[in-house]
């Protein structure tokens, strides 16, 4: 099963979804701004990506500064809660394919997990 955490307003997200379709992958599209992932889902996504929670944060997003997160020293659990509470801060798009995941920046990154 393949899932893409998608923002239709994002060019990279649209390109990644198109790339999946070009490769015959019928992905479950999750509009994560409308259906934010839970803390448990985020924890699993981060594990599959093999990154720290803070690496999934869009630090250039205006909301990041508005929330006073620049220079913040948060625990992994606190970063995950922040992402769950403010899905706009989640890096996008994220593709989960089986037990692997990739961030589609650039979109071709997801081809690695489809093999």
């Amino acid at each position: 099963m393949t899932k893409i955490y998608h923002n239709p307003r994002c060019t990279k997200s649209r390109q990644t979804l198109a790339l999946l379709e070009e490769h015959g992958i019928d992905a479950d599209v999750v509009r994560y701004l409308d259906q934010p992932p839970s803390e448990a889902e985020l924890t699993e996504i981060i594990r599959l990506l093999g990154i720290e929670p803070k690496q999934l944060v869009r630090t250039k997003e205006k909301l990041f500064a508005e929330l006073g997160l620049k220079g913040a020293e948060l625990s992994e659990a606190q970063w995950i809660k922040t992402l769950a509470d403010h899905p706009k801060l989640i890096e996008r798009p994220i593709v989960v394919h089986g037990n692997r995941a990739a961030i589609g920046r650039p979109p071709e990154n997801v081809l690695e997990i489809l093999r």
Side-chain angles (χ1 to χ4, degrees), residues 38-87:
S38 67
E39 290 179 41
E41 285 176 284
L42 284 166
T43 299
E44 179 62 8
I45 290 167
I46 289 164
R47 184 188 72 75
L48 293 174
L49 288 168
I51 62 174
E52 298 295 320
K54 187 175 181 182
Q55 293 175 280
L56 195 58
V57 178
R58 295 175 54 83
T59 59
K60 294 181 181 167
E61 188 68 46
K62 184 178 172 185
L63 180 60
F64 183 80
E66 290 173 356
L67 292 172
L69 295 172
K70 187 174 182 179
E73 295 294 328
L74 302 180
S75 69
E76 289 189 9
Q78 289 170 318
W79 279 118
I80 291 168
K81 179 164 179 26
T82 299
L83 290 169
D85 291 345
H86 305 282

Side-chain angles (χ1 to χ4, degrees), residues 21-38:
E21 291 169 353
E22 286 170 20
H23 283 81
I25 305 292
D26 184 24
D28 180 19
V29 178
V30 177
R31 291 183 172 211
Y32 69 93
L33 294 176
D34 299 330
Q35 302 170 319
S38 67

Side-chain angles (χ1 to χ4, degrees), residues 81-113:
K81 179 164 179 26
T82 299
L83 290 169
D85 291 345
H86 305 282
K88 191 173 186 178
L89 293 176
I90 299 172
E91 187 60 82
R92 63 185 183 254
I94 302 166
V95 175
V96 177
H97 181 71
N99 63 350
R100 300 174 79 193
I103 297 173
R105 289 190 170 269
E108 294 76 22
N109 279 353
V110 303
L111 295 177
E112 288 292 318
I113 66 168

